[in-house]
Amino acid sequence: MSANLKRHIAGGLLAASLALGALVLPARALTLEEAGKVVQLLGELEPELGRLAYDEEEADQWFDDDAGLEGRIAKAGFDRESWKQALGATFRGYLATIAAEHFEATFSGLTEKVDASDLNADQKAEMRSFVETKIAETRALRAEGARYVDAVQPYAARLNELLGDDE
């Protein structure tokens, strides 16, 4: 297997797992106002902090980095935990707003790339298992997001700009 193909497969899996997250938060209502604040903050902070690759550590890092700048997250009324909860709920709600065909297309070809790779049989089995686990986790996040759709739907287009794929 060429080094480029390995990097391409690993990069695709990393991007999918980071972009689609794997954080489990306690169920709590997300208000339209909270979702709006999260979306506004994502837009304001992206130029300084870069594109959000959502997971719990990234949520913490954004909170810390912003605290060292202007503290906009705290000024918007969030402490670290409420920020992580609102960001997580907004992210899940965003996943739930994505059309099913587009959402599933995100995973199209990932396992086929593993099968077509030059990895040995054990490596392929391990990589396939990893891919299938990440796909299942992401589908679960989307299912969890159904409870947040009403709060997130008005911001779906902007979230797609901020969190969606670049293609």
Side-chain angles (χ1 to χ4, degrees):
M1 173 188 233
S2 75
N4 284 339
L5 182 56
K6 285 180 187 176
R7 279 193 302 274
H8 181 71
I9 290 172
L13 293 172
L14 179 61
S17 65
L18 288 177
L20 300 174
L23 173 66
V24 177
L25 294 172
R28 139 184 176 346
L30 175 72
T31 67
L32 187 65
E33 180 183 3
E34 287 172 322
K37 286 180 183 179
V38 167
V39 173
Q40 180 178 348
L41 288 164
L42 290 174
E44 289 177 8
L45 295 171
E46 183 181 44
E48 296 165 25
L49 302 182
R51 188 177 182 117
L52 179 74
Y54 178 75
D55 66 15
E56 183 175 63
E57 285 147 7
E58 186 77 2
D60 275 331
Q61 189 64 51
W62 270 50
F63 189 87
D64 291 340
D65 290 350
D66 175 57
L69 296 169
E70 295 180 37
R72 287 179 258 189
I73 295 171
K75 287 176 185 173
F78 296 109
D79 61 21
R80 180 180 303 277
E81 288 308 309
S82 64
W83 166 247
K84 290 189 325 188
Q85 289 178 353
L87 180 60
T90 302
F91 180 77
R92 284 170 173 71
Y94 164 68
L95 290 178
T97 68
I98 299 170
E101 303 80 34
H102 182 73
F103 181 80
E104 289 301 324
T106 303
F107 310 116
S108 177
L110 290 178
T111 55
E112 291 80 5
K113 286 179 184 174
V114 171
D115 292 341
S117 72
D118 291 335
L119 296 172
N120 67 40
D122 290 339
Q123 292 169 324
K124 283 182 183 182
E126 185 176 335
M127 185 65 85
R128 182 179 259 284
S129 176
F130 173 78
V131 169
E132 290 170 351
T133 298
K134 288 300 175 190
I135 290 170
E137 288 172 356
T138 304
R139 286 179 176 144
L141 289 172
R142 177 180 162 85
E144 291 170 20
R147 74 182 76 151
Y148 308 119
V149 167
D150 290 341
V152 174
Q153 188 64 54
Y155 308 104
R158 180 66 175 135
L159 283 165
N160 195 55
E161 293 171 5
L162 295 166
L163 302 173
D165 59 40
D166 290 324
E167 297 176 43

